[in-house]
Amino acid sequence: MKWVVVVAFVLIIGSLMSAMVFLVRDRGRTRNVARALAFRVGFSVALFLLILLAQYFGWIHSTGIPVRVGG
């Protein structure tokens, strides 16, 4: 599961960097910047949903912050 998250982060950062390259090179005249940013948003949403599903199916376990009751 850790590798999936790492790959997703690499895809997100790569998409953000490609949007920056398109913005500098094309100066916003083409739709490449919007497409790259849309992919970044899609990768981010997919990663979020994957983490939620992994938590639901028990593939990952949250450690959380310990809560003291009555302390």
Side-chain angles (χ1 to χ4, degrees):
M1 190 64 196
K2 290 180 185 179
W3 287 106
V4 173
V5 172
V6 168
V7 168
F9 273 128
V10 168
L11 289 172
I12 291 168
I13 297 299
S15 178
L16 189 60
M17 288 178 17
S18 70
M20 183 185 68
V21 168
F22 287 135
L23 184 63
V24 170
R25 187 176 60 180
D26 298 341
R27 291 190 170 86
R29 288 179 283 206
T30 63
R31 295 188 177 200
N32 293 334
V33 175
R35 188 178 309 127
L37 292 176
F39 277 124
R40 185 190 65 84
V41 170
F43 290 141
S44 299
V45 169
L47 176 61
F48 181 74
L49 292 176
L50 179 68
I51 291 172
L52 286 179
L53 286 173
Q55 174 71 27
Y56 178 76
F57 287 120
W59 299 334
I60 59 173
H61 302 285
S62 62
T63 57
I65 300 173
V67 177
R68 294 188 340 208
V69 178

